[in-house]
Amino acid sequence: MTGTVYLVGAGPGDPGLLTLKGKMLLELAEVVIYDALVSPPILAMINPQAERVFVGKYRGWHSLPQAQITELLVTKAREYQTVVRLKAGDPFIFGRGGEEEAGLQEAGIAVQVVPGISAGLAVGFPLTHRQVSSSVVLVTGHEAVEKSEASVNWAALAQGADTLVIYMGMHRLAQITAALMRGGRAGETPVCVVQWGTWPQERRLFGTLATIHDLVTQAGFTAPAMVVVGEVVRLQRL
Ligand SMILES: C[S@@+](CC[C@H](N)C(=O)[O-])C[C@H]1O[C@@H](n2cnc3c(N)ncnc32)[C@H](O)[C@@H]1O
């Protein structure tokens, strides 16, 4: 009999932000297949007898291609009853959880999803606020390379949403901020970059659309970081 694959969101990093269901599954797991950005205290909760497989990506070391990760999950589900696929944040927010779920279903493997707190929701700002923000968009700054045409319309987002929460935006920060300004968003719009949000080494950098790229370069901020754009950023500075 094949087992079940649980796609578990580990949350942003602080172990206190993992769900109770996620923790229970880590304790019961026979194998855990995990990504980069899952924090050490969360990895420490894994059943000590469980097999662990790291499939993430670090600088200079490429992750397994997505098709191979899905294949690995299918193989493990034929071997074990409780397979945990542990992902940073939420599996369905820029986490390829949808692709893995579809691949498993196609192979006839049972899948259950345990949501996690996405890093963009743990930045410590009210992303909506009755006075300053009625809308929020979670957007990637790094679209899948295999896509032939970009689908993020930065000019439309510049005017179409009050708060923008940009994942994976650090490498293209100069282009993204320029596109937002070209699209009509004021250069004075406040921006905050949150690096390693909720981890002990969390750092924050405040600027504006016009200044943030230079500030990030000067301060040496790198991924993983979340870029929050909008008037809500002022609320935290008060
Ligand atoms: C592949 S995406 C995974 C997102 C994840 N599924 C989620 O819901 O948070 C990785 C990106 O998420 C952001 N990220 C994840 N964890 C973060 C953290 N603790 N602090 C800041 N950014 C984080 C960064 O932009 C990073 O490049």
Side-chain angles (χ1 to χ4, degrees), residues 11-13 37 87-95 116-120 166-170 194-199 223-227:
L37 294 183
K87 289 171 168 291
D90 182 85
F92 282 171
I93 302 283
F94 305 123
I117 296 179
S118 189
I166 307 170
Y167 292 66
M168 297 168 278
M170 296 301 273
V194 183
Q195 185 187 38
W196 289 113
T198 84
W199 290 56
M226 203 60 72
V227 182

Side-chain angles (χ1 to χ4, degrees), residues 137-157:
V137 164
L138 309 184
V139 57
T140 174
H142 178 85
E143 286 189 89
V145 280
E146 58 274 18
K147 270 194 182 176
S148 54
E149 274 181 50
S151 65
V152 176
N153 183 339
W154 293 101
L157 289 183

